[in-house]
Amino acid sequence: MSEAAEMTTKWLRQWITAHGGVAGTVHARQGDEMRLTAAVNIPPQVVEIVRVVPKGKGMAGLAFERNAPVSTCNLKTDTSGDVRPGAKAVNAGAAVAIPVHDAAGRIRGVVGIAYQGERPMDDGELALLTSEAEALPSA
């Protein structure tokens, strides 16, 4: 693992813990795709599925496309179409994918966090998560 990947994984672990999460991912933008740079408590089969995420596909791809957080109250029972079948294999309930920006305001990545139980996320919680996700170290 590169030093940048180790730093990103360390940041992700701390961020997940600080917000009571159980799992998470970081994807870095490469053109019109997102490439996985860190994963915590994500099953290996899901890691393979989300290693490269096209714009508009899955929660990370939709957060990238919409330039807005994409959330679900329950990964396993979501019927919105935003949650892909692979994500349903993560042992978690609520989840959110948050776009992260560079100094010029362009999306540079997407950070995801999942929680043990089912629960809605209000605007205040999403705003806090978004603000703190923007502190993601640059790779």
Side-chain angles (χ1 to χ4, degrees), residues 15-23 59 70-78 83 92-98 112-130:
W15 188 71
I16 291 168
T17 300
H19 293 285
V22 295
M59 291 178 70
V70 174
S71 64
T72 180
C73 293
N74 190 318
L75 282 169
K76 295 189 184 317
T77 62
D78 185 90
V83 179
V96 62
I98 302 164
I113 186 170
Y115 298 90
Q116 187 61 50
E118 178 177 317
R119 65 188 183 92
M121 289 184 222
D122 64 28
D123 290 343
E125 183 176 12
L126 285 174
L128 175 64
L129 289 169
T130 299

Side-chain angles (χ1 to χ4, degrees), residues 11 17 22 28 32 35 39 41 43 51 57 61 76 82 84 87 92 98-99 102 107 110 115 123 126 129 135 138:
W11 178 90
T17 300
V22 295
D32 279 342
R35 300 221 176 234
N41 296 330
R51 192 167 300 283
K57 184 176 180 186
K76 295 189 184 317
D82 290 353
R84 304 295 296 172
I98 302 164
D102 63 18
I107 294 175
V110 173
Y115 298 90
D123 290 343
L126 285 174
L129 289 169
S138 295

Side-chain angles (χ1 to χ4, degrees), residues 20-21 23 33 45 55 69 88 91 95 101 109-111 123-124 137:
E33 295 179 329
Q45 71 271 24
K55 192 174 197 175
K88 293 178 186 236
N91 187 22
H101 303 87
V110 173
V111 176
D123 290 343

